[in-house]
Amino acid sequence: MMASNKPIYCDTCDSFEPHRPLSGEEKAWLKDRIRARNVDNYLMCTAEGCRNLRTGMNKAPFTPELRVPPPPE
Ligand SMILES: [Zn+2]
């Protein structure tokens, strides 16, 4: 897990933005969505309205990009 809050590049924003690890619910969603057993290396862009996913190493692991669905109101 990335311990740093230092902004990293977001391919969708095309700028350096804060990212955070996924919550338990978000991980469950992603595991089902991409059929992966472990999604601990994914980070979500926290820029307003973005929610794009990347890993620490890969700025664009999905084509097209994959965004975490917003939480229900
Ligand atoms: Zn972004």
Side-chain angles (χ1 to χ4, degrees), residues 10 13 45 50:
C10 173
C13 294
C45 175
C50 183

Side-chain angles (χ1 to χ4, degrees), residues 52-69:
N52 189 48
L53 288 170
R54 60 162 293 163
T55 69
M57 300 298 291
N58 187 346
K59 65 181 165 68
F62 302 113
T63 305
E65 73 277 2
L66 188 58
R67 298 172 190 257
V68 180

Side-chain angles (χ1 to χ4, degrees), residues 26-55:
E26 291 162 349
K27 283 181 184 175
W29 169 82
L30 183 58
K31 284 177 184 174
D32 185 60
R33 179 70 175 70
I34 68 174
R35 306 271 176 234
R37 194 165 294 183
N38 186 311
V39 294
D40 290 350
N41 56 331
Y42 285 93
L43 299 167
M44 188 190 85
C45 175
T46 58
E48 181 80 38
C50 183
R51 304 180 71 83
N52 189 48
L53 288 170
R54 60 162 293 163
T55 69

